[in-house]
Amino acid sequence: MVEAASKLVGTAVPRVEDHALLTVGGTYIPDLDVSDALHVMFVRATVAHARIRSLRTEAALAAPGVTAVMTARDLTDLPPAPPLMPLMNQSMCRPFLANEVVRFAGEAIAVIVAATPTQAADAAELVEVEYDPLPVLVDPEQASLDEVVLFPAAATNTVSATDEMPRDDLFDSCDVVVEARLVNSRMAVAPIEPRACASRWDGDHLTQWSATQAVHNTRGWIAAPLGADPAKVRVIVPDMGGGFGGKLGNYPEDVMVAWLARRLGRPMRWVESRAEHMSNFSHARGQIHRAAVGGTRDGRILAYRLEVLQDCGAYPSNFGGMMPLRTRMMASGCYAIPEIEYRYRTVVTNTTPMGAFRGAGRPEAAAAIERMIDLFAREIGLDPVEVRRRNFVAPQAFPFETATGASYDSGEYEAALDLALDAAGYTALRAEQARRRAASDRMLLGIGIASYVESSNPGAAAEYGAIEVHPDGRACIRTGSSPHGQGHGTTFRMIASDITGIPIDRIDFVFGDTQAVPRGGGTGGSRSVQVGGSAVKVASDRLVEMARIRAADVLEASVDDIVLDGVGGSFHVIGSPARHVTWSELAASSNDPLGVEVDFTPDGATFPFGAHVAVVEVDAETGRVTLLRLIAVDDAGFVVNPLLLEGQIHGGIASGVAQALTEEICYDADGNLLTGNFADYGIISAAELPQFELVEMATLSPRNPLGAKGVGESGTIGATPAVQNAVIDALAHLGVRHIDLPLTAQRVWRVLVEAGQVEHVVG
């Protein structure tokens, strides 16, 4: 029993991490004092597809400060390549260094080790490479034809695919069927901090500092090819400047740096440049959809077909190769669609390999169904809001099993849409749109709606959590979750403090070290609070019960009569607070630690949801799109800290708007990256964004003791289709049916020219 105290959970507690970050600064991998470390630089292919005719390293090896130059022929004690997950073509594994053939511009073909980064970079310029060019594939649709194959041993470019044939009768009962080809554009993950790692081998143990979202996964990735006992590999993540899913991936460079440290007996450090990052770090999205929706003329959707072609890049990663399976899970969105047919194919191209990014398959699903809802509504002459209302999963239907096998936990989809529409002033916006159209106003107004549901912790994975109180009265939380900007240190302390009564400034927070934390799943899929936070809650509850038993012995009373004073953080007999025992006294009262560790396994994934309304202006003469307003209802279940929730939603919306309007990875026909920096890539900034209007809503999940759902990806998933729908809505009266992402001024202007709205002036 805990006596009432002022609760932190549910209040806007400022992040405890920020003071250090804003004063002395963080400690990132380049800041680490790894004494005597040599610097690693990768020599990268300058062509997208070619045989390596010759690779000469003599001049580089003789350059000042250079200790070693390694190529694929030197990796004799490493396997050729790590295996892929089942279901993927095992002939397409990625080597640690390219051997004989390069398959994308930027692929590592050699590695330089030198005393300084500058010397390593200078030596890399001295490596001489001769190539025999091979045909280049950058278009996944072209790759799917298998006229040119990247892996001759595979005899195909297909990594994995469904076997089912399309049903001829899927739409037989439908009055109306609409079809569309939709492109979900390729994006860069682009965290502020690129990849980095440092490694030290002491003759028996390896320590690796890594910018990773999951230290235990990274430990396994490094240990396996090295043939090392995982118990003798320690991975530590220091401060990290963002991850967004890309740093969940496993990369050859991590293994190479560790291998070099062991091979040369010297500490190694590698820090990726931004140019390297844009051409080598995972790209994301990159799907082509062929979709069809059928239903009745009164707005009921009866059937949905979605065919996905996934671009995997040059090598299928365990994320990129299987991303369509996550798209499949969320194919039906918020809607009770009785018949869904889903097929996919993933193919390789001569481009940067694909991986996870903020939503990882779920934003693609939402973008497809939300565009098709709007197209269907237009075909039958109904407001897209009304079509959504008529097809939402009803609140009383939960838990709801979709036609593709997802089990939704809870939802109030229509209520979320109503909140968003009311906050936006939807009726008044439509009236203003009609006025502008009647007046032939140059500034066209568009209103876009997106209702979404996504899956957080989609694999329903467990997480480790522990809490211990020391004789000095301080507590320590240990977690398998790993923060990189989300505020875990504040959130988890709040949960533990409310339960134990120990002030948050007396609670330490340990994460991201395989030696200090025995296991854990890391951070990804918006899973941290719902599983990591729940683990801390369960551990804290059990700790209080353990302490009550100890307090009963000390106070010579029945356990049932012992209560915890939530304000003072001490235990006493009911009605007798004067005689009490503190946490520190209990910790010191026994040689046994006063601590609990748990592995919390949820009852399933959770399904955050929401509704976004985007209001845009489109300049009818230039095609420029201006986002005027973005109204967002993002329901993440129980909210531990509203301040941190808002921060996650703001970041997610910015990412979603970026895909809709400005960001796209582009290649030329020869596989050269055209968007290799933040100027050409068009990464979004605050200057392109309005102040987002957030509306609160919380529908608890029954699948964890907090009732929480994830929120790190939700804003991204709702924002992209809302903005895309808004831009197309602005042009709908001109006969415009669809425009692919991103909706740049050039792309919109071309559509306006085709619609006869503006003249195509040349010269």
Side-chain angles (χ1 to χ4, degrees), residues 269-315:
R269 187 181 344 234
W270 171 65
V271 179
E272 187 178 54
S273 70
R274 181 59 62 184
E276 275 187 295
H277 183 85
M278 294 297 284
S279 65
N280 290 276
F281 191 59
S282 288
H283 294 169
R285 311 288 191 252
Q287 290 184 357
I288 298 174
H289 300 156
R290 294 191 180 274
V293 163
T296 63
R297 290 210 167 269
D298 66 356
R300 297 289 178 181
I301 296 175
L302 303 178
Y304 179 39
R305 171 180 288 152
L306 182 60
E307 299 178 7
V308 173
L309 180 63
Q310 174 74 61
D311 184 352
C312 286
Y315 298 97

Side-chain angles (χ1 to χ4, degrees), residues 18 93 173 178 196 207 301 307 311-312 425 428 481 492-493 576 580 647 654:
D18 289 348
C93 299
S173 60
V178 294
T207 300
I301 296 175
E307 299 178 7
D311 184 352
C312 286
S481 294
F492 289 12
R493 284 178 171 103
S576 303
H580 60 266

Side-chain angles (χ1 to χ4, degrees), residues 269-475:
R269 187 181 344 234
W270 171 65
V271 179
E272 187 178 54
S273 70
R274 181 59 62 184
E276 275 187 295
H277 183 85
M278 294 297 284
S279 65
N280 290 276
F281 191 59
S282 288
H283 294 169
R285 311 288 191 252
Q287 290 184 357
I288 298 174
H289 300 156
R290 294 191 180 274
V293 163
T296 63
R297 290 210 167 269
D298 66 356
R300 297 289 178 181
I301 296 175
L302 303 178
Y304 179 39
R305 171 180 288 152
L306 182 60
E307 299 178 7
V308 173
L309 180 63
Q310 174 74 61
D311 184 352
C312 286
Y315 298 97
S317 71
N318 288 340
F319 278 109
M322 304 308 296
M323 199 64 68
L325 296 182
R326 300 204 173 194
T327 302
R328 179 188 186 277
M329 178 173 62
M330 302 309 301
S332 62
C334 300
Y335 311 106
I337 304 175
E339 297 284 347
I340 297 179
E341 178 183 284
Y342 183 90
R343 292 184 296 140
Y344 81 92
R345 180 179 299 277
T346 61
V347 296
V348 287
T349 59
N350 293 120
T351 60
T352 300
M354 305 289 272
F357 174 47
R358 209 161 194 164
R362 288 97 79 198
E364 296 90 322
I369 189 63
E370 288 305 292
R371 277 302 301 132
M372 296 308 296
I373 291 288
D374 267 31
L375 287 167
F376 182 74
R378 181 175 175 183
E379 182 68 23
I380 63 176
L382 279 180
D383 189 308
V385 169
E386 187 58 33
V387 172
R388 286 173 171 82
R389 291 191 196 282
R390 295 182 186 186
N391 291 282
F392 280 141
V393 177
Q396 62 271 21
F398 292 93
F400 180 77
E401 188 87 9
T402 72
T404 55
S407 177
Y408 293 178
D409 54 346
S410 61
E412 293 269 1
Y413 303 152
E414 187 170 6
L417 180 58
D418 287 342
L419 284 172
L421 295 173
D422 289 347
Y426 184 68
T427 302
L429 287 170
R430 285 295 181 200
E432 171 62 13
Q433 182 185 60
R435 185 197 68 76
R436 293 194 190 192
R437 288 177 177 176
S440 299
D441 196 315
R442 169 180 168 178
M443 304 307 294
L444 307 176
L445 191 69
I447 305 106
I449 313 297
S451 293
Y452 75 89
V453 59
E454 70 123 338
S455 174
S456 58
N457 191 29
E463 188 53 273
Y464 171 86
I467 184 169
E468 183 174 350
V469 178
H470 303 294
D472 63 359
R474 294 190 68 86

